[in-house]
């Protein structure tokens, strides 16, 4: 068993564009790719904007929506800035994608005295770089990534119980994990609603 700490930066593509353009980060905002919503922040999602939605439809749903194009180069640059800040706390970072990082938890826990303390220091270092993030920890990488989306630490040996209650759609919540959306769509049509339902299949 190898504990993993993950840092998740919510709505990273939107955050990067919003910061570059001086948008109000609490107002509805989204980035588009090929005239479809690529990512939206919490305020936009609360107003009914969803990834995959046509830009015109999104603006009709939320007229106050701030919209920009995806800026992959800017995302990568901002990501490097965050990595430099985090290097003050931890080495050995693995980039799953810009806005999602993973660290081996054991050496950090030994150095800082506790896994939770290491997570707090990583979040603080990111905040000093002007970026908000959530930390998660678990016995494996995938579970740690999902836990980070909730800002939770899943105790040793508790991953199975935690995973069982997660909705099936969590499988496609993080594109970098590579789960095929078509498979999840078919399972949903078959009435599979949670990961416990999925693992109970023969």
């Amino acid at each position: 068993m190898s504990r993993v700490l993950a840092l998740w930066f919510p709505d990273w593509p939107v955050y990067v564009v919003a910061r570059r353009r001086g948008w109000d980060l609490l107002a509805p905002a989204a980035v588009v790719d090929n005239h479809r919503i690529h990512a939206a922040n919490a305020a936009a999602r609360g107003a009914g904007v969803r990834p995959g939605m046509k830009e015109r439809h999104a603006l009709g749903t939320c007229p106050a929506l701030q919209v920009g194009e995806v800026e992959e180069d800017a995302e990568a640059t901002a990501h490097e800035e965050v990595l430099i800040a985090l290097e003050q706390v931890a080495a050995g970072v693995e980039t799953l994608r810009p806005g999602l990082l993973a660290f081996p938890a054991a050496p950090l826990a030994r150095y800082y005295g506790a896994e939770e303390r290491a997570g707090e220091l990583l979040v603080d270092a990111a905040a000093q770089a002007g970026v908000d993030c959530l930390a998660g920890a678990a016995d494996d990488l995938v579970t740690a990534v999902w836990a980070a989306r909730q800002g939770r630490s899943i105790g040793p040996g508790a991953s199975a119980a935690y995973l069982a209650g997660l909705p099936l759609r969590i499988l496609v919540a993080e594109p970098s994990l590579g789960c095929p959306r078509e498979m999840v769509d078919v399972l949903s049509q078959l009435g599979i609603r949670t990961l416990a339902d999925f693992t109970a299949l023969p």
Side-chain angles (χ1 to χ4, degrees):
M1 186 182 300
S2 181
R3 298 282 291 171
V4 178
L5 267 168
L7 287 187
W8 177 61
F9 299 78
D11 313 316
W12 180 252
V14 183
Y15 170 81
V16 170
V17 172
R19 190 173 71 166
R20 281 171 55 84
R21 298 191 178 194
W23 290 350
D24 178 358
L25 294 175
L26 297 179
V31 294
V32 297
D33 184 19
N34 197 25
H35 304 293
R36 288 188 178 273
I37 300 298
H38 173 71
N41 66 2
R45 293 194 301 273
V49 177
R50 296 288 180 268
M53 181 183 286
K54 289 184 178 180
E55 179 181 356
R56 184 174 58 182
H57 184 194
L59 287 168
T61 301
C62 179
L65 185 68
Q66 304 166 106
V67 180
E69 294 284 340
V70 170
E71 297 184 18
E72 293 182 355
D73 290 344
E75 288 181 38
T77 299
H79 180 73
E80 289 299 321
E81 293 172 358
V82 171
L83 289 179
I84 291 171
L86 293 177
E87 283 176 356
Q88 307 304 313
V89 178
V93 59
E94 178 182 357
T95 297
L96 302 178
R97 62 164 173 79
L100 182 63
L101 307 173
F103 305 81
L108 291 174
R110 286 194 299 269
Y111 188 80
Y112 293 111
E115 188 176 271
E116 292 77 8
R117 178 59 180 160
E120 291 171 358
L121 290 172
L122 287 168
V123 171
D124 288 346
Q128 290 175 13
V131 187
D132 291 328
C133 68
L134 295 172
D139 293 340
D140 63 271
L141 175 62
V142 173
T143 306
V145 167
W146 290 338
R149 297 176 74 90
Q150 299 175 332
R152 293 184 57 181
S153 177
I154 310 304
S159 290
Y162 166 71
L163 293 172
L166 292 180
L168 183 70
R169 287 285 169 187
I170 195 72
L171 291 173
V172 291
E174 177 46 59
S176 68
L177 298 180
C179 180
R181 184 174 297 274
E182 295 80 5
M183 181 191 76
V184 174
D185 290 341
V186 170
L187 290 170
S188 297
Q189 292 166 13
L190 294 174
I192 306 301
R193 297 288 177 260
T194 66
L195 293 189
D197 295 338
F198 185 28
T199 57
L201 291 172

